[in-house]
Amino acid sequence: MKFMKLGSRPDTFITTEAVRSVNSEVISDLIVQVKGSRYLLHKFPLLSKCSRLQRLCSESPETSQHQIVQLPDFPGGIEAFELCAKFCYGITITLSAYNIVAARCAAEYLQMTEDVEKGNLIYKLEVFFNSCILSGWKDSIVTLQITKSFPLWSEDLGITSRCIENIASKVLAHPSKVNLSRTYSRRGPRDDISCNESESRRHNKGSSKVWWAEDLAELSIDIYWRSMIAIKSGGKVPASVIGDALRVYASRWLPNISKYANHEKHVVHDQSESDSIGKHRLLLESIISLLPAEKGAVSCSFLLKLLKAANILKASCSSKMELARRVGLQLEDASVNDLLIPCVSHTCDTIYDVDVVITILQQFMLQVQSPPTSPLRRKGDFERRRSRSAENIDLEFQESRRSSSASHSSKLKVAKLVDGYLQEIASDTNLPLSKFITIAEAIPEFARLDHDDLYKAIDIYLKGHPGLNKSERKRLCRILDCKKLSMDVCMHAAQNELLPLRVVVQVLFFEQARTAMSGGHVTELPSNIKALLANHDDTAKTSASFNKAKMIPVDDQWSNASGLKSPKSNISTLKMKLAEDEDLDEHNADEIGKSSRIRALCVLPNRPKKMFSKLWSNSRSSVASEKN
């Protein structure tokens, strides 16, 4: 920290009966009132250097002994005025980054310019500011921080802008050219809002690149915003470094905002708390506006924590949408806990804000649409394409393939993420069925290599919502693909009383097909069951689906499953037909009569095993008679 001393005389200012005066043999002839304080001073030393006091004294009437001058709006208060008064008397004063702003504003107010006297205070302060304050990193930071106490004066005098430009130039310069921040060196990285363990390691590893972030984090948001804009506009600092700096600032000023979410949704906050929320909201929206546009410049976890803060602080819709868009760009890097954003709106009854997750998923799907593997050819492009080199076309094709592959990989990751998220929110009794299904269906079907996690989420939802009717349970289970369930999950589903019968039948059917494939053959359906299936119009469809199972290779994804060892699996095709009929019932009421015969055979609640056993014994006797 640099400083400058002016003057050589000892300090002779004294206080007598709440009045400050100079211990001198000469009788004082000037009374200066500064914000409630009185000073008994002398005209000659002050008026010889202060043009404003000259004018005020000429305008105010003289009394018999003292002339009174009022300075009610003096910048910097009595401390700054006393610095200027001591300078006029030649008393030693010490200037540093902590008081130069107040002294400069006070000198400007008193008009202590070169026109009044050569070598006046303004000139000396400007020399010290330009040669010493701006040459040091810490001095520039402290001075810039002090300017928030004198915003208008600092702007008019150019103190704020010069400090910001100087700080930005030092950041843009090579770090070795600037002394390392003492503030940063004595602190460890803080992770209050933004970072998980991996981000902390990355922050430590790259601390040499963001050595300036901790010092800038001490600035108020308006000055910090302008400083970051100046740094970004230089174009030399990588986007990832800008992102790390923003994370440091957020951890400094947004560590405890979760306390606002602990209040009841309908409670009206007091005035002080409302002001605090407003300040934090402004700070958050300013940070959002500074986020680099490049993908990956800030982590997905940090973006989602900002989104949680935006929900709690009731930030603007545009800020939330911007965060949702950015999260959608890199959603595959998120975790389930990151997506558990508390719902604090009085219009929302759910525990977590599922609407914002739906928006994020929509943004994700918009961003990761796979580009076409070959560009569309339009009329008139033929000649231009003929002139293009084969190398360029091949490069374009490979780039398209890489983009498509990355998009496919991210969808697979997000599908696992969504299924884990559904398991977390499924137990919420206030979660509407429509929103659960919307989230589940936001991911394309091919992205789910298996449906085990989705089945678990559906099971949790059914347990948490026992009031669902038959139609709603069917609607929920339509998003489930029984072919993609593992053997263990199939065993659980076959005994799950909460599932619609159609789903249980499908599980048994596909498990039978899987078991047959593991043995390398499929048993032909008995003739009496074929006769029953032949009574329905789309028997061919069922036979085709069953015969199709025969064609699955032994080394297929089903080949490693052991299957269900139950007598009922031998007639599961009949149950599959029942499932199809029940689906038709919901859309075609006139098909009820056709399916009633099959349904009556398969939906008996108390004696299904006896019925299936009897039917199976009849089928075997029928086959024996045919052979004879």
Side-chain angles (χ1 to χ4, degrees):
M1 184 70 68
K2 297 181 180 180
F3 61 92
M4 178 179 68
K5 286 189 176 183
L6 298 175
S8 57
R9 295 178 56 188
D11 189 356
T12 56
F13 271 66
I14 59 176
T15 302
T16 306
E17 296 180 355
V19 176
R20 293 282 285 170
S21 61
V22 179
N23 188 9
S24 174
E25 297 178 356
V26 180
I27 300 175
S28 61
D29 56 358
L30 179 64
I31 297 177
V32 181
Q33 293 186 350
V34 180
K35 294 187 176 181
S37 298
R38 301 185 66 187
Y39 285 86
L40 294 178
L41 304 173
H42 304 83
K43 288 183 180 180
F44 174 72
L46 267 69
L47 269 60
S48 62
K49 292 182 172 61
C50 303
S51 177
R52 190 184 188 94
L53 290 180
Q54 292 179 13
R55 180 172 54 82
L56 291 175
C57 287
S58 64
E59 293 174 356
S60 61
E62 287 192 35
T63 60
S64 57
Q65 187 175 1
H66 297 94
Q67 192 167 7
I68 301 175
V69 175
Q70 303 278 352
L71 302 176
D73 54 347
F74 194 86
I78 58 176
E79 293 83 3
F81 174 77
E82 201 160 309
L83 276 175
C84 295
K86 288 179 179 180
F87 174 79
C88 294
Y89 279 98
I91 297 173
T92 302
I93 60 174
T94 302
L95 297 168
S96 67
Y98 289 102
N99 62 4
I100 189 173
V101 178
R104 180 65 180 85
C105 295
E108 188 70 23
Y109 181 89
L110 294 174
Q111 299 175 2
M112 302 175 72
T113 63
E114 293 293 286
D115 295 336
V116 182
E117 184 179 79
K118 294 295 182 181
N120 212 341
L121 183 57
I122 290 179
Y123 171 78
K124 293 183 181 296
L125 290 175
E126 284 293 327
V127 171
F128 177 62
F129 180 78
N130 292 323
S131 62
C132 297
I133 296 297
L134 294 182
S135 65
W137 169 260
K138 185 62 178 178
D139 294 290
S140 300
I141 293 290
V142 172
T143 303
L144 183 58
Q145 198 169 2
I146 297 298
T147 58
K148 66 182 180 182
S149 301
F150 313 93
L152 297 180
W153 281 95
S154 299
E155 289 293 341
D156 292 341
L157 298 174
I159 299 175
T160 303
S161 59
R162 283 185 286 172
C163 285
I164 290 175
E165 292 172 2
N166 180 70
I167 289 171
S169 66
K170 286 179 168 58
V171 172
L172 294 172
H174 194 277
S176 62
K177 296 181 180 179
V178 186
N179 293 330
L180 191 65
S181 163
R182 287 179 289 173
T183 304
Y184 184 83
S185 62
R186 65 172 178 262
R187 293 179 183 168
R190 286 186 289 204
D191 252 359
D192 297 54
I193 184 175
S194 59
C195 301
N196 50 33
E197 185 178 354
S198 61
E199 286 180 306
S200 298
R201 290 195 295 267
R202 185 183 71 172
H203 181 69
N204 288 329
K205 183 177 180 181
S207 59
S208 61
K209 296 181 180 180
V210 289
W211 53 267
W212 45 271
E214 284 278 349
D215 283 334
L216 290 189
E218 299 299 321
L219 300 174
S220 59
I221 185 58
D222 53 339
I223 299 176
Y224 178 83
W225 188 88
R226 291 174 59 183
S227 301
M228 291 301 295
I229 290 295
I231 293 171
K232 290 176 67 176
S233 63
K236 296 181 179 179
V237 179
S240 59
V241 176
I242 297 294
D244 283 340
L246 292 175
R247 181 173 54 81
V248 171
Y249 191 82
S251 68
R252 169 68 176 83
W253 294 101
L254 296 174
N256 299 317
I257 59 170
S258 57
K259 64 183 179 181
Y260 299 127
N262 296 330
H263 296 275
E264 294 294 331
K265 295 179 181 179
H266 299 283
V267 171
V268 178
H269 305 289
D270 56 33
Q271 186 60 41
S272 61
E273 185 172 303
S274 297
D275 293 341
S276 179
I277 291 175
K279 291 179 181 178
H280 281 100
R281 184 188 302 121
L282 174 62
L283 187 147
L284 174 66
E285 292 177 349
S286 299
I287 292 176
I288 295 172
S289 68
L290 289 171
L291 291 173
E294 292 81 356
K295 178 181 177 181
V298 293
S299 68
C300 187
S301 176
F302 177 55
L303 290 173
L304 283 166
K305 289 181 185 297
L306 289 180
L307 190 53
K308 289 181 183 180
N311 248 22
I312 294 172
L313 297 173
K314 297 180 176 60
S316 64
C317 293
S318 59
S319 296
K320 291 182 181 180
M321 280 301 301
E322 176 63 15
L323 287 174
R325 185 188 67 82
R326 290 177 179 270
V327 171
L329 285 172
Q330 50 196 92
L331 184 58
E332 64 271 17
D333 299 326
S335 66
V336 173
N337 287 333
D338 293 333
L339 291 177
L340 297 178
I341 302 173
C343 187
V344 295
S345 173
H346 65 277
T347 60
C348 179
D349 295 325
T350 56
I351 300 175
Y352 300 109
D353 192 340
V354 296
D355 291 328
V356 72
V357 174
I358 292 174
T359 303
I360 291 173
L361 289 172
Q362 291 172 346
Q363 292 295 322
F364 168 76
M365 293 306 300
L366 288 175
Q367 299 296 336
V368 298
Q369 292 297 332
S370 300
T373 55
S374 60
L376 294 177
R377 296 193 177 187
R378 294 174 297 180
K379 186 176 181 180
D381 289 348
F382 181 73
E383 292 298 329
R384 183 171 64 256
R385 290 186 179 277
R386 287 185 60 187
S387 63
R388 184 182 298 179
S389 67
E391 292 181 0
N392 288 341
I393 296 177
D394 184 61
L395 182 62
E396 181 181 297
F397 177 76
Q398 292 179 5
E399 183 67 26
S400 177
R401 287 283 298 273
R402 283 195 295 269
S403 177
S404 178
S405 176
S407 174
H408 182 78
S409 175
S410 63
K411 287 176 183 176
L412 296 180
K413 293 179 181 178
V414 171
K416 296 291 290 183
L417 174 69
V418 167
D419 291 347
Y421 176 75
L422 288 173
Q423 293 178 40
E424 291 293 331
I425 67 173
S427 58
D428 186 356
T429 56
N430 293 322
L431 178 64
L433 176 62
S434 59
K435 291 187 178 180
F436 183 93
I437 295 176
T438 298
I439 295 175
E441 292 180 339
I443 303 302
E445 185 178 350
F446 73 85
R448 286 189 176 92
L449 299 181
D450 64 77
H451 277 218
D452 287 3
D453 290 334
L454 182 59
Y455 169 79
K456 293 174 185 177
I458 291 175
D459 185 49
I460 295 172
Y461 191 88
L462 290 172
K463 291 176 180 177
H465 300 77
L468 292 179
N469 57 38
K470 183 178 179 180
S471 175
E472 289 172 332
R473 286 189 290 117
K474 287 182 179 180
R475 180 185 171 197
L476 172 63
C477 293
R478 281 198 188 99
I479 62 178
L480 190 66
D481 188 349
C482 297
K483 297 189 297 294
K484 293 185 178 182
L485 297 179
S486 65
M487 183 183 68
D488 292 338
V489 174
C490 282
M491 293 293 290
H492 184 280
Q495 304 173 58
N496 193 340
E497 297 179 354
L498 297 175
L499 294 176
L501 180 59
R502 180 182 70 88
V503 178
V504 177
V505 170
Q506 285 183 339
V507 169
L508 292 172
F509 172 76
F510 290 116
E511 190 60 31
Q512 177 192 1
R514 190 184 314 184
T515 303
M517 288 303 99
S518 64
H521 67 278
V522 178
T523 305
E524 193 69 30
L525 285 175
S527 58
N528 58 343
I529 298 179
K530 286 184 178 180
L532 285 175
L533 296 178
N535 291 332
H536 199 278
D537 292 338
D538 50 350
T539 302
K541 179 181 177 182
T542 304
S543 299
S545 64
F546 189 80
N547 292 332
K548 187 178 180 181
K550 298 180 184 179
M551 301 173 63
I552 304 176
V554 176
D555 59 346
D556 193 74
Q557 57 181 332
W558 308 119
S559 62
N560 295 326
S562 60
L564 291 175
K565 298 179 181 179
S566 170
K568 292 185 290 184
S569 64
N570 293 291
I571 58 166
S572 57
T573 304
L574 184 59
K575 292 186 176 182
M576 185 61 183
K577 178 52 61 179
L578 168 63
E580 295 174 359
D581 289 340
E582 287 185 346
D583 280 343
L584 290 173
D585 282 347
E586 296 178 6
H587 304 288
N588 303 289
D590 54 1
E591 292 292 327
I592 294 177
K594 292 184 179 181
S595 61
S596 60
R597 181 181 177 185
I598 302 175
R599 189 184 301 107
L601 290 174
C602 299
V603 193
L604 294 177
N606 297 325
R607 298 182 296 169
K609 287 187 177 181
K610 292 182 180 180
M611 185 273 291
F612 290 145
S613 177
K614 184 177 179 180
L615 183 58
W616 184 243
S617 63
N618 291 338
S619 68
R620 285 191 290 181
S621 62
S622 175
V623 172
S625 62
E626 288 179 1
K627 289 182 178 180
N628 293 333

